[in-house]
Each structure stands twice: as C-alpha cells, then as structure tokens.
Amino acid sequence: MIDKIKFGTDGWRAVIGDTYTIRNIARVAEGTAQWVKQQSDSPSIVIGHDCRFNGRMFMETAIKVYLNHGIKVYYADGFVSTPMVSMGTKEYGANIGVVLTASHNPPSYGGYKLKSNHGGPLLPAKIQEVEDLIPDELAVEKYTADLDAAKKSGQLIKVDLEGAYINAIKENFDIEAIKNSGLNLAFDAMYGSGQNVLKPLFPDMSFLHCEHNPGFMGQAPEPIAKNLKELEAFIKSNGNIDAALATDGDADRIGLYGKDGEFIDSHHIILLLIHYMVKYKGMSGKVVTAFSCSPKIAKMCEHYGLEHQTVKIGFKHIAGIMIDEDVLLGGEESGGIATKGHIPERDGIWMGMIIWEFMAKSGKSLASLIDEVYEIVGGFKFERSDLHISEDLKLEIIENCKNNVYASFGEYKVDKVETIDGFKFYLPNDSWVMIRPSGTEPVLRVYAEATDLDEVRKILKTTETTLLKQ
C-alpha cells in the first residue's frame, strides 16, 4: 500500500517508523529535487534537522537524493532550529530550505518543512507543486552518493547555521542593556533545537530542559500552559524571575511567563510587540494575523492607525504578504510570530528577545507593560482546548457548524459567525469561541476569549458539552 504524503498547515508530519520512514523521506526528497531543478540550472538546497530520533540519518537520506540529482547542498552538522534554516536559505541564496522537524508534535513524530529563498515558509502554491512531484514508488537503494567525496568536490558544504543565528541576535539587540537591567530571566527550550542559543549570550540566566533528549521526556514540545508546568513551578518557587521564555521543538513558537508564574498567551505577546514597536520605537507597517487571533489586535491597530488583515491559519499565508508588503508584524494564536527587520518567519527566541529588550529599555515589569496594552484594548483572557475525539464525530461537528446548527452554546447566544478558516462564534460581552480541526494533529481545537479566566473556562466547558451531545 502506498503511503499518501500530504503537506498540512506546516509541512508533512507522520509517526516515525510508521509512515515517517527512510523510503518516504526519500520520496519527498525526490519530489523536492525535481522541483528545485525546475527553478535553476545550478540548483541548491539548505537542510537541517531538529532534535528528534534519528534526525541525522533521515537528513543524510535526503542529502543522498539531492546529490544524485547534481544539487549543491548546504547542511548543518547537528540539530538546528527552523529559523536557522530559514535564515540560511536566504543567506546562501538557495532555491529551497528543508527542515526535518515535527515542530511541536509529540516525540513519536517526524516531519519535513519547506522554506523559500526569502527566508520564510514556501508559499502554498509552490508547496503543492513539490507535493505533485512526489513519486508513488521509489527504489531508495539507488541513491548511493558518497558523502565524503561530495564534501571534497564542494557539492556538499557544512555550514554553521546556529553560529550565524547567534551573531544575528548580537547585531540586532542590545544584549548589554538586557544584562545590565537587573532582570532575572529564564529560558525553557522544552528539549528543542533552540536550546544552545541563549547560553553564550546570557550565561547567568536560568535554563530548563536545555539538553538533548529526543524523547522530550514524553511531552509534546508545544509551549502552552498545560505543557509548561515545570517552568511555572520553577518561577513560583524561585520568586525572583521577572520573565521566562519557552520555545517549541524547532524554536519557531513562543511561550511566555511573567513574574507571578502566569502564562501569557500569544495574543498578549502580539499586542505587546505592536505596542513596543509603534509607541516606543516609532515603527509602522501592516499587521497580519491568523483567523484564530483575538479581535483585540484589530482594536490595537485601529488605535495606532495601522492596517490590519486577517488570513487563514498557517504561517505560509502570512509569509506571502510579508514578502510583498510593508508588514510590521505577522502572527498566529499558536505562538508563531514574525516582525519587521527579521526574516518573514516565525521565531520564538527572536520574539522573546524583543520582549526582554522592551522590559530592559522601558525599565518596566511585564505586568506594567500589559497594563499599558489593556488601557488601549481592554483586559481579556484566552484559553484553547484540544478535543481528542473520533474522526466521525469531528466530521459531524464540522458539518453541524457548516449548517448553522449551533445558535447558542448553553446560555451563550451566538451573535454572529465568521468562517475564514474554521468557525468563530461571537458571543455577548466581547467574548467568542472558535471551532476548528487541527491541520497538524488529529484533534478538534476549541478556542475561547472573555474578560476573565473563569468565564473563558465556563465558555469552553459549555461549548464542549454542546458539541459532544451528538
């Protein structure tokens, strides 16, 4: 039976040893090689892998395929983050970048992401072109390139993507101002591929889960509150941490905690970034956010006279606009955010650096800066729930959403519905709930926002009860 390889919201992902195999990696690499050869007479690829099981072996499989097609390959020796590969793809002028990563998925998954020569995700139409070139059958044994010989000939070149990334941070941020601010900071890499970036820059910082562990201690490396209980407990027990940054498995998503150990979601992070860049740094530009983001962002943009655009979920939809237009910030609810002056790519560490610099330069606590945001848009809370339900029930719920079955969720009457990507139900008192199947995992996501956390959780519970009464 042929395994169907389909690129989802952000790359192809599958369980290692099941569908994520040497043969299927070779198939995807073959499609990638065929596409790259159509783009240039002297094609080149930048490739790197994350911290997951057998990353180097899977990378060498792909490299052999590329070399057999006469493609020049720049590779990272050791695990690297997605932003590092994206930066490298742009720096080396490669036709495409490849990151072997399953990002925030559970440890059993592997993945294959495609990056453009602009330094961000390959755009959807081009991803489809690559997918269409993936062969159904492949004799992987025929790819017998000699890696040592390719290195000697200059066809296979080792590059220091991590070193280049660290240098970019030094060039773009006031490291000394952060060090001298008196801020006590912490970083949780969730055993991901960003674990070595901040150690040489801030050696006295508190580091959690910054060692190589392909099993991630059994925890999906997604920087959301339920997965960061150790970091939360560390902050509360320490009592002296001003802000803590967390990043996911390939370090392109951000999680953030303040001094009290309360999780700060990506909606608040986006608002903080806009506030800092516009009010404090005098920057301007369009703001582009995914459909699952808070309407408070549009309110912030209105306050500062910025154009705001909502797009489908998946950073590739944001990246295309960042490439062509003057964009100040592009962001997603999932913690993937990019800003002007950097590559059009999600980057958790880079966003954390902006927040830390904001705190250092303003001399204000994270809580004070969030209060400044609330003065503009009003206070709010947000949470997301992931429902692990059967495929049949998931499809039935989505069909009900399409057919306007849900006029209310318990006591919460639906005022209006938006359907850009999923179903966002607007409820009374500036609250909302959204329903959407994940594009990267077998779950149904339910998102909710309200003025306080108790209300958010009540909305989620009421919505889930309504949905599961099928």
Side-chain angles (χ1 to χ4, degrees):
M1 181 179 175
I2 297 168
D3 294 318
K4 177 63 177 175
I5 294 174
K6 180 72 179 173
F7 283 75
T9 305
D10 188 20
W12 168 57
R13 299 179 197 180
V15 174
I16 298 169
D18 179 9
T19 306
Y20 196 83
T21 61
I22 291 290
R23 188 172 300 278
N24 284 338
I25 285 289
R27 287 173 59 204
V28 182
E30 174 69 22
T32 306
Q34 294 286 359
W35 184 85
V36 167
K37 289 198 298 182
Q38 294 175 5
Q39 312 307 310
S40 173
D41 294 331
S42 55
S44 61
I45 292 175
V46 171
I47 187 168
H49 65 85
D50 68 3
C51 301
R52 290 168 187 266
F53 179 70
N54 267 347
R56 187 177 186 88
M57 180 184 74
F58 289 121
M59 181 178 75
E60 289 183 352
T61 297
I63 287 173
K64 288 178 181 178
V65 175
Y66 307 149
L67 294 178
N68 270 273
H69 284 279
I71 297 168
K72 179 180 281 190
V73 180
Y74 301 91
Y75 77 100
D77 187 19
F79 59 79
V80 289
S81 70
T82 286
M84 292 173 195
V85 175
S86 293
M87 281 184 62
T89 304
K90 182 177 181 180
E91 179 183 347
Y92 291 102
N95 299 102
I96 204 168
V98 174
V99 200
L100 298 181
T101 178
S103 186
H104 65 283
N105 279 47
S108 58
Y109 280 76
Y112 190 106
K113 289 185 179 183
L114 297 171
K115 299 299 168 181
S116 78
N117 54 13
H118 295 98
L122 194 67
L123 301 184
K126 297 184 184 298
I127 291 173
Q128 187 60 55
E129 291 172 6
V130 174
E131 189 178 305
D132 291 343
L133 291 169
I134 297 172
D136 289 339
E137 299 289 347
L138 195 71
V140 69
E141 298 81 9
K142 75 177 183 179
Y143 299 109
T144 57
D146 185 326
L147 300 186
D148 289 332
K151 291 173 186 176
K152 290 177 182 177
S153 70
Q155 190 185 359
L156 179 59
I157 303 168
K158 182 173 75 172
V159 291
D160 185 5
L161 300 182
E162 184 172 81
Y165 181 83
I166 292 172
N167 286 335
I169 289 180
K170 290 177 181 177
E171 293 168 3
N172 284 274
F173 294 98
D174 193 336
I175 303 296
E176 291 306 310
I178 298 172
K179 283 183 175 180
N180 296 329
S181 65
L183 291 170
N184 289 311
L185 304 171
F187 174 53
D188 187 342
M190 303 192 79
Y191 300 113
S193 53
Q195 62 187 255
N196 295 324
V197 173
L198 296 175
K199 291 175 182 176
L201 299 174
F202 303 100
D204 297 328
M205 183 186 296
S206 297
F207 292 97
L208 285 78
H209 310 123
C210 287
E211 54 272 354
H212 191 201
N213 185 331
F216 300 92
M217 291 299 288
Q219 172 67 65
E222 181 179 10
I224 55 178
K226 69 177 184 178
N227 297 342
L228 293 167
K229 293 302 182 184
E230 284 188 47
L231 177 58
E232 179 185 331
F234 174 79
I235 295 167
K236 289 179 177 178
S237 64
N238 185 287
N240 197 34
I241 301 296
D242 294 293
L245 166 67
T247 53
D248 70 333
D250 63 335
D252 64 355
R253 295 187 181 197
I254 181 175
L256 189 67
Y257 278 85
K259 192 177 184 69
D260 57 0
E262 181 180 359
F263 182 74
I264 298 166
D265 60 57
S266 59
H267 311 283
H268 286 81
I269 296 170
I270 289 170
L271 290 165
L272 283 166
L273 292 169
I274 295 170
H275 184 53
Y276 177 50
M277 291 188 291
V278 177
K279 180 176 179 178
Y280 287 77
K281 299 191 75 173
M283 298 171 68
S284 62
K286 185 177 186 177
V287 172
V288 184
T289 52
F291 182 55
S292 53
C293 285
S294 170
K296 300 289 187 182
I297 297 167
K299 190 170 183 178
M300 172 72 81
C301 290
E302 183 180 357
H303 174 81
Y304 282 123
L306 306 176
E307 182 182 356
H308 176 256
Q309 181 177 350
T310 301
V311 298
K312 289 185 176 182
I313 294 168
F315 198 81
K316 57 194 176 185
H317 300 294
I318 295 172
I321 299 170
M322 294 190 77
I323 290 166
D324 294 332
E325 301 182 35
D326 178 24
V327 174
L328 177 70
L329 177 146
E332 302 180 292
E333 169 273 332
S334 61
I337 309 169
T339 53
K340 181 187 282 191
H342 190 34
I343 50 175
E345 177 65 281
R346 300 180 296 190
D347 191 337
I349 292 175
W350 200 275
M351 298 308 115
M353 289 296 302
I354 297 176
I355 297 292
W356 286 345
E357 187 181 76
F358 187 10
M359 295 173 69
K361 295 277 190 177
S362 67
K364 297 180 180 179
S365 69
L366 202 47
S368 294
L369 296 175
I370 290 174
D371 284 341
E372 288 187 13
V373 166
Y374 285 166
E375 287 174 9
I376 299 170
V377 303
F380 70 101
K381 296 294 181 182
F382 170 89
E383 273 195 1
R384 187 189 86 197
S385 178
D386 293 346
L387 302 183
H388 295 266
I389 56 178
S390 70
E391 186 67 17
D392 287 344
L393 179 54
K394 183 168 72 172
L395 292 174
E396 184 178 345
I397 291 170
I398 295 303
E399 197 62 29
N400 286 341
C401 290
K402 290 178 181 177
N403 294 327
N404 300 313
V405 169
Y406 305 117
S408 65
F409 297 98
E411 67 190 77
Y412 299 100
K413 180 179 177 297
V414 174
D415 291 334
K416 67 173 182 175
V417 184
E418 289 183 341
T419 58
I420 293 173
D421 189 358
F423 303 86
K424 185 179 276 189
F425 299 87
Y426 288 87
L427 312 174
N429 303 317
D430 287 333
S431 59
W432 56 272
V433 65
M434 179 174 156
I435 300 165
R436 180 183 180 272
S438 170
T440 58
E441 296 177 82
V443 299
L444 184 72
R445 301 204 193 283
V446 183
Y447 316 71
E449 178 184 309
T451 53
D452 65 71
L453 197 54
D454 287 342
E455 189 72 10
V456 168
R457 290 172 177 168
K458 185 179 176 184
I459 291 170
L460 285 173
K461 185 175 181 180
T462 302
T463 301
E464 290 166 18
T465 298
T466 302
L467 296 180
L468 298 179
K469 282 183 179 178
Q470 304 297 319

